[in-house]
């Protein structure tokens, strides 16, 4: 359904055209009206209009200037100009501005309907699926950096397995058949006075520096944050399989990388005036172990040495500090918990599913850490903090305190980790129930408010735009929501209420037909009569006589 706005400084013409198009069922139009260009612009500020049917000569702002204003707000809006004058200069000006059509008021209703139908057809063609697919294909190169980042991030989190096909599609020049060397980097501190844009530019400068210095290797660079980045390296793509295998066994690539990182540190300090720390693998890692290696190298940077700046450490540092006994599961558990705490489970269906999947993976990994109380307490209280925060969002003030959601059993109260996990499951299910209950309550409140307003204002403007103002919702979304909840559209419901009210007044009162028409929102008794007969099969007088 398209929205049509009719604009003319003569009210009779506007109302006549409104009735004409509301009766034109084949076009499926939602009709709005305005009696001046300024009134039309006010309407356009509140709602998206698809087709503008406007007089070309009006006092104050004429139709041509209105068209210019409209296309600035809604570029896809199609325009049909109306005029009582056969003025070729106006015709030329309208066509130069991209007006869909130009119709004389004297041409009759059929010509006007045909022009609006043509505009609707052009809008439909514009929305063809193939057109959007072609446009998406043309822009795919612009989205590649974002898609690469999403895919690489999913590999580091363990949400995806490395796929050569997907890497080739994204232009990531690494081989899944060979191990990969990982480097995790961090900008330790920025110069004073740098803006966010300056920091981003310096981060990209560091990436470019790495690309030049690692030219003999295959490098993929991922900026996880403005101050943090990950590099994945393999021997040059031209290296044969046997040569690559020998390099992996001799760790020559790791030695080359470590030496080059020294140069990058020095160059960044001298030319970019930033201090950088690196943690790198002492050898190449297979793709399946990438999430664990990523967590391990982040752990290396977190603990660090000395003043914690300009560090250059490998994973072997953990051996020297006695921390090498950290299991893969411990590293994965902490990484998965960190991921869970940054997710937004109140968003889209996809976001909720991602949250549930991450939570299940965290539970599965945690079962391998049941002897590590530190890790289990991090998971237990980390998830607890998240669930208390989510519950508080859906309850307010006194309600939150009365609910007891803030109360939390300590880990020591549970006889086993499995029992603690069941407790977390129960609290999570409680939050999900609360969220759905609150959403349903809010939805029903909106629908009841609308139905009450419609019943009390049948003699007034009940357009979708007006109703959306009452409940502060987007008109298009309001239309979908109302139909989902009631089974009928807003306009259909409004029509039904007006007909019921009209029937009641016709059968129970002595009001005249034109008075009843006014009470149910019609300016004209004739239009009300045609509308009533279309809906009931009888004229208002016939209905009254039968009753």
């Amino acid at each position: 359904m398209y929205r049509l706005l009719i604009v003319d400084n003569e009210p009779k013409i506007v109302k006549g055209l409104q009735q004409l198009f509301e009766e034109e069922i084949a076009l499926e139009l939602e009709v709005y009206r305005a009696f001046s260009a300024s009134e039309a612009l006010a309407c356009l500020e509140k709602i998206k209009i698809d087709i503008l049917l406007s007089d070309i000569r009006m006092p104050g702002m004429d139709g041509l200037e209105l068209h210019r204003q409209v296309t600035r707000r809604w570029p896809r809006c199609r325009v049909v100009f109306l005029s009582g004058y056969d003025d070729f200069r106006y015709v030329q000006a309208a066509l130069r501005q991209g007006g869909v059509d130009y119709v004389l008021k004297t041409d009759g209703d059929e010509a006007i309907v045909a022009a609006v139908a043509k505009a609707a057809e052009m809008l439909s063609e514009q929305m063809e699926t193939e057109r959007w697919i072609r446009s998406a294909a043309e822009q795919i190169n612009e989205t590649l950096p974002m898609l690469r980042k999403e895919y690489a991030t999913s590999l580091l989190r363990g949400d995806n397995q490395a796929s050569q096909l997907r890497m080739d599609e994204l232009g990531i020049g690494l081989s899944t058949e060979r191990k990969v060397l990982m480097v995790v980097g961090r900008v330790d501190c920025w110069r004073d006075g740098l803006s966010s844009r300056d920091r981003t530019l310096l981060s990209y400068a560091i990436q470019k520096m790495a690309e030049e210095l690692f030219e003999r290797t295959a490098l993929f660079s991922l900026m996880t944050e403005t101050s943090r980045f990950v590099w994945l390296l393999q021997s040059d793509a031209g290296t044969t399989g046997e040569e690559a295998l020998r390099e992996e066994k001799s760790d020559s690539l790791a030695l080359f990388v470590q030496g080059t990182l020294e140069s990058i540190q020095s160059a960044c300090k001298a030319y970019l005036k930033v201090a950088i720390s690196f943690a790198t693998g002492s050898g190449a890692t297979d793709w399946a172990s990438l999430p664990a290696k990523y967590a391990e190298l982040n752990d290396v940077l977190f603990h660090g040495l000395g003043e914690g700046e300009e560090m250059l450490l490998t994973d072997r540092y953990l051996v020297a500090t006695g921390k090498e006994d950290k299991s893969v599961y411990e590293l994965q558990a902490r990484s998965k918990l960190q991921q869970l705490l940054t997710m937004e489970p109140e968003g889209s269906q996809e976001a909720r599913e991602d949250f549930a999947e991450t939570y299940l993976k965290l539970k599965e990994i945690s079962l391998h850490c049941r002897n590590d109380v530190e890790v289990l307490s991090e998971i237990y209280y980390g998830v607890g903090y998240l669930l208390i925060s989510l519950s508080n969002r859906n309850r307010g003030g006194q309600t939150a305190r009365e609910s007891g959601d803030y109360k939390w059993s300590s880990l020591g109260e549970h006889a086993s980790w499995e029992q603690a996990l069941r407790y977390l499951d129960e609290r999570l299910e409680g939050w999900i129930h609360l969220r759905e209950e609150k959403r349903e309550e809010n939805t029903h409140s909106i629908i009841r408010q609308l139905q009450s307003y419609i019943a009390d204002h049948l003699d007034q403007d009940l357009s979708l735009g007006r109703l959306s103002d009452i409940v502060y919702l987007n008109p298009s979304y309001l239309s979908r929501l109302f139909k989902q909840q009631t089974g009928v559209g807003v306009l259909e419901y409004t029509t039904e209420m007006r007909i019921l009210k009209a029937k009641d007044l016709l059968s129970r009162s002595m009001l005249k037909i034109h008075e009843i028409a006014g009470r149910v929102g019609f300016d004209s008794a004739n239009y009300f009569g045609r509308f009533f007969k279309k809906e009931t099969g009888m004229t208002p007088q016939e209905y009254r006589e039968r009753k």
Side-chain angles (χ1 to χ4, degrees):
M1 179 178 286
Y2 294 118
R3 297 193 184 105
L4 170 68
L5 175 60
I6 302 168
V7 189
D8 198 302
N9 62 303
E10 296 183 42
K12 285 184 179 180
I13 292 177
V14 173
K15 292 176 182 178
L17 289 172
Q18 181 182 16
Q19 293 173 13
L20 172 67
F21 283 106
E22 284 181 344
E23 293 173 358
E24 195 66 40
I25 300 173
L27 284 181
E28 295 187 354
L29 295 170
E30 186 181 316
V31 185
Y32 296 82
R33 65 190 188 187
F35 302 116
S36 67
S38 58
E39 192 176 331
L41 290 176
C43 177
L44 286 157
E45 290 291 346
K46 297 179 181 178
I47 191 168
K48 178 175 78 74
I49 294 297
D50 301 299
I51 304 171
L52 177 70
L53 178 61
S54 173
D55 187 10
I56 204 165
R57 285 193 179 186
M58 293 182 288
M61 185 187 300
D62 64 13
L64 297 177
E65 178 56 29
L66 174 61
H67 179 210
R68 283 190 285 270
Q69 297 281 347
V70 168
T71 51
R72 275 202 287 270
R73 289 169 172 80
W74 304 107
R76 296 183 183 277
C77 181
R78 313 304 299 180
V79 180
V80 178
F81 285 119
L82 278 175
S83 180
Y85 306 91
D86 191 3
D87 190 330
F88 186 67
R89 287 176 301 165
Y90 274 95
V91 174
Q92 285 183 315
L95 295 177
R96 276 198 300 270
Q97 286 194 189
V100 174
D101 214 335
Y102 180 97
V103 185
L104 292 174
K105 295 176 182 178
T106 55
D107 287 345
D109 291 350
E110 288 186 7
I112 296 172
V113 170
V116 171
K118 178 183 174 183
E121 184 180 352
M122 292 180 72
L123 284 170
S124 298
E125 291 174 356
Q126 202 171 23
M127 294 295 290
E128 284 292 333
T129 304
E130 288 184 3
R131 178 179 177 276
W132 292 110
I133 292 175
R134 286 196 302 271
S135 177
E138 292 170 0
Q139 296 178 17
I140 191 69
N141 287 335
E142 297 177 13
T143 63
L144 272 177
M146 180 188 68
L147 295 174
R148 289 177 186 137
K149 180 176 181 178
E150 288 179 356
Y151 181 67
T153 301
S154 73
L155 293 180
L156 296 179
R157 287 177 171 175
D159 296 335
N160 258 324
Q161 293 184 340
S163 161
Q164 191 63 58
L165 177 61
R166 184 58 177 154
M167 292 182 116
D168 291 343
E169 288 175 349
L170 296 174
I172 299 175
L174 300 175
S175 170
T176 56
E177 296 181 358
R178 294 161 54 190
K179 293 183 178 182
V180 63
L181 184 73
M182 180 185 289
V183 175
V184 175
R186 179 188 72 199
V187 176
D188 298 318
C189 59
W190 298 98
R191 301 196 308 271
D192 292 339
L194 285 180
S195 65
S196 296
R197 180 177 179 276
D198 292 335
R199 293 183 180 189
T200 301
L201 288 173
L202 285 175
S203 294
Y204 276 110
I206 295 169
Q207 311 306 308
K208 290 296 181 184
M209 187 187 302
E211 289 172 8
E212 288 187 17
L213 294 176
F214 287 122
E215 59 181 352
R216 60 160 286 191
T217 65
L219 167 71
F220 175 73
S221 175
L222 169 67
M223 192 184 301
T224 55
E225 301 171 26
T226 306
S227 299
R228 285 181 172 270
F229 46 88
V230 179
W231 297 336
L232 302 177
L233 302 103
Q234 288 178 334
S235 301
D236 184 68
T239 308
T240 65
E242 291 183 3
E243 290 173 334
L245 187 60
R246 282 199 299 274
E247 282 199 12
E248 286 177 7
K249 287 183 177 179
S250 67
D251 290 338
S252 60
L253 176 61
L255 291 172
F256 167 72
V257 168
Q258 290 165 31
T260 306
L261 292 178
E262 293 177 15
S263 302
I264 293 175
Q265 271 189 334
S266 300
C268 286
K269 187 173 183 179
Y271 302 113
L272 302 182
K273 309 301 182 187
V274 291
I276 296 181
S277 288
F278 291 108
T280 178
S282 54
T285 305
D286 59 73
W287 289 92
S289 302
L290 217 55
K293 181 57 66 177
Y294 179 55
E296 186 178 52
L297 293 179
N298 274 314
D299 199 48
V300 168
L301 278 183
F302 177 77
H303 288 96
L305 290 172
E307 296 180 357
E309 291 188 6
E310 293 189 273
M311 297 180 294
L312 185 51
L313 301 169
T314 71
D315 46 16
R316 287 178 181 163
Y317 148 78
L318 296 174
V319 177
T321 57
K323 300 181 182 295
E324 78 282 4
D325 58 345
K326 286 195 175 183
S327 70
V328 169
Y329 294 116
E330 177 184 345
L331 293 167
Q332 288 181 338
R334 285 198 166 105
S335 175
K336 195 60 65 178
L337 175 62
Q338 184 181 23
Q339 180 186 349
L340 187 77
L341 295 177
T342 60
M343 300 182 81
E344 183 48 73
E346 292 191 310
S348 64
Q349 178 67 26
E350 183 180 1
R352 295 196 294 272
E353 290 173 358
D354 288 345
F355 178 83
E357 184 180 350
T358 304
Y359 175 68
L360 289 175
K361 285 182 179 178
L362 176 61
K363 285 175 56 181
E364 181 184 340
I365 295 170
S366 73
L367 293 173
H368 297 280
C369 305
R370 56 165 51 92
N371 295 322
D372 193 329
V373 178
E374 290 181 0
V375 175
L376 297 185
S377 63
E378 282 183 42
I379 295 172
Y380 184 79
Y381 292 112
V383 174
Y385 158 77
L386 178 62
L387 291 179
I388 290 174
S389 175
L390 291 171
S391 295
N392 287 343
R393 290 189 204 176
N394 289 283
R395 300 188 196 272
Q398 187 66 28
T399 308
R401 289 189 290 276
E402 291 172 355
S403 72
D405 285 342
Y406 63 91
K407 297 178 182 177
W408 199 264
S409 299
S410 69
L411 180 58
E413 293 179 50
H414 302 292
S416 66
W417 177 242
E418 284 78 6
Q419 188 182 87
L421 286 178
R422 285 195 293 274
Y423 179 75
L424 291 180
D425 289 345
E426 289 171 6
R427 297 300 296 256
L428 179 58
E429 287 172 8
W431 168 72
I432 291 172
H433 176 73
L434 172 64
R435 180 191 66 194
E436 296 303 325
E437 186 181 73
K438 197 69 177 177
R439 182 178 295 146
E440 188 174 337
E441 179 186 324
N442 291 339
T443 302
H444 287 169
S445 174
I446 291 288
I447 299 301
R448 286 195 300 270
Q449 187 179 347
L450 277 175
Q451 290 173 330
S452 175
Y453 183 85
I454 289 170
D456 294 340
H457 298 82
L458 290 173
D459 59 335
Q460 298 177 22
D461 175 19
L462 292 177
S463 65
L464 195 55
R466 173 58 185 152
L467 294 176
S468 67
D469 287 342
I470 299 299
V471 291
Y472 307 104
L473 290 177
N474 173 274
S476 179
Y477 175 65
L478 172 60
S479 178
R480 292 199 307 273
L481 180 67
F482 193 92
K483 189 160 188 175
Q484 286 171 0
Q485 298 298 314
T486 66
V488 296
V490 178
L491 298 179
E492 185 180 349
Y493 180 82
T494 302
T495 296
E496 183 181 341
M497 292 299 101
R498 280 177 163 152
I499 290 296
L500 287 174
K501 179 70 171 178
K503 285 180 177 179
D504 182 64
L505 292 173
L506 286 167
S507 60
R508 295 164 60 89
S509 78
M510 296 302 293
L511 292 172
K512 295 179 180 179
I513 300 297
H514 76 271
E515 292 175 321
I516 294 174
R519 292 201 179 188
V520 292
F522 292 87
D523 296 329
S524 147
N526 288 336
Y527 179 37
F528 168 65
R530 291 198 303 273
F531 179 83
F532 190 88
K533 185 171 185 178
K534 184 178 74 172
E535 295 295 327
T536 66
M538 293 177 281
T539 66
Q541 188 60 39
E542 288 171 344
Y543 182 86
R544 170 169 271 176
E545 290 170 357
R546 288 195 183 188
K547 292 295 178 178

